[in-house]
Amino acid sequence: ATGAITGIKDAEKDRKLARLEKKLQDKSIQLVYLQQQFDKVRAHHEEHLQRVRQSNTQEQVQDISDGFSFSVYFRTGRSDIDPTLLPHIRDLAGLIQGLPDIKVMLEAHADKRGNKAYNRKLSEARADAVQSILIKAGLDGNRIRTHAYGESRARVVDSDLEGLVFDRRVDIHLTTETEA
């Protein structure tokens, strides 16, 4: 009789254990399903967030390139950059280094004194000097375009000796255009 009772209790325990294992299996299946749903929702939200980030980055890049211009001024007949400007040029390179859509256009100028050939060479040397600093600061040279205008775009009249400094410059423009 004791064996029969023990057998019945064991059989009951086995059935109870089987029911619990079945519930556990059902819950595990539900958990896997919920995990899959959660992963899909997370992937969807991550994709959406990435699109928002991309859109914001593109808008920021456009805003930066639309509103930025910086000029480096030179002494008469010189193409060396004033040492006080070097950190600013390096900082600019560092700022745009992580924004691969931004390109740099350098427009180099000279005042009207001297002959055209000399002024053209001088403006080329000025553009090269600024380009060299940008590249040394880590900016890829393929992102930089230079234009040397010599005196052809001078804005100051010859008689304004103090104003001639404004024609001895390299203008740095940021752009998103591939052909700057």
Side-chain angles (χ1 to χ4, degrees):
T2 305
I5 292 175
T6 303
I8 292 172
K9 285 184 181 180
D10 285 345
E12 182 62 30
K13 284 181 186 177
D14 288 343
R15 283 191 297 274
K16 194 174 191 178
L17 184 60
R19 282 193 308 270
L20 289 174
E21 285 177 347
K22 175 70 172 138
K23 277 185 176 180
L24 180 62
Q25 184 180 17
D26 291 345
K27 295 296 181 186
S28 293
I29 291 170
Q30 286 178 344
L31 182 61
V32 167
Y33 174 76
L34 290 173
Q35 185 65 44
Q36 289 172 344
Q37 294 296 70
F38 177 75
D39 290 344
K40 285 179 185 178
V41 168
R42 183 173 20 163
H44 173 74
H45 286 297
E46 186 60 37
E47 182 181 307
H48 179 71
L49 185 59
Q50 188 65 23
R51 281 195 307 268
V52 168
R53 284 183 189 138
Q54 178 81 16
S55 174
N56 286 343
T57 300
Q58 289 171 344
E59 288 173 17
Q60 290 171 346
V61 165
Q62 191 63 43
D63 288 346
I64 289 171
S65 69
D66 285 345
F68 185 85
S69 183
F70 179 76
S71 295
V72 178
Y73 294 96
F74 295 85
R75 295 188 181 277
T76 301
R78 306 286 301 267
S79 62
D80 53 314
I81 298 172
D82 182 327
T84 60
L85 295 177
L86 295 176
H88 300 291
I89 297 170
R90 289 183 190 121
D91 289 347
L92 174 63
L95 172 73
I96 61 175
Q97 195 170 10
L99 300 169
D101 292 337
I102 291 186
K103 310 295 186 255
V104 177
M105 181 173 52
L106 304 176
E107 293 181 337
H109 306 274
D111 63 37
K112 291 182 180 182
R113 294 179 293 175
N115 68 48
K116 288 184 181 191
Y118 173 78
N119 287 339
R120 175 69 144 207
K121 287 282 188 198
L122 182 58
S123 65
E124 286 173 6
R126 290 173 176 167
D128 291 345
V130 174
Q131 182 178 25
S132 175
I133 299 301
L134 291 169
I135 291 171
K136 286 179 184 172
L139 193 62
D140 182 355
N142 292 325
R143 294 175 59 187
I144 304 170
R145 298 286 178 263
T146 62
H147 300 283
Y149 295 108
E151 64 186 57
S152 67
R153 292 191 176 181
R155 298 182 254 178
V156 178
V157 295
D158 294 340
S159 61
D160 183 7
L161 294 178
E162 289 181 14
L164 290 174
V165 68
F166 298 109
D167 283 338
R168 299 189 306 264
R169 71 185 189 284
V170 171
D171 296 324
I172 302 171
H173 303 283
L174 302 183
T175 181
T176 55
E177 302 296 318
T178 55
E179 288 298 319

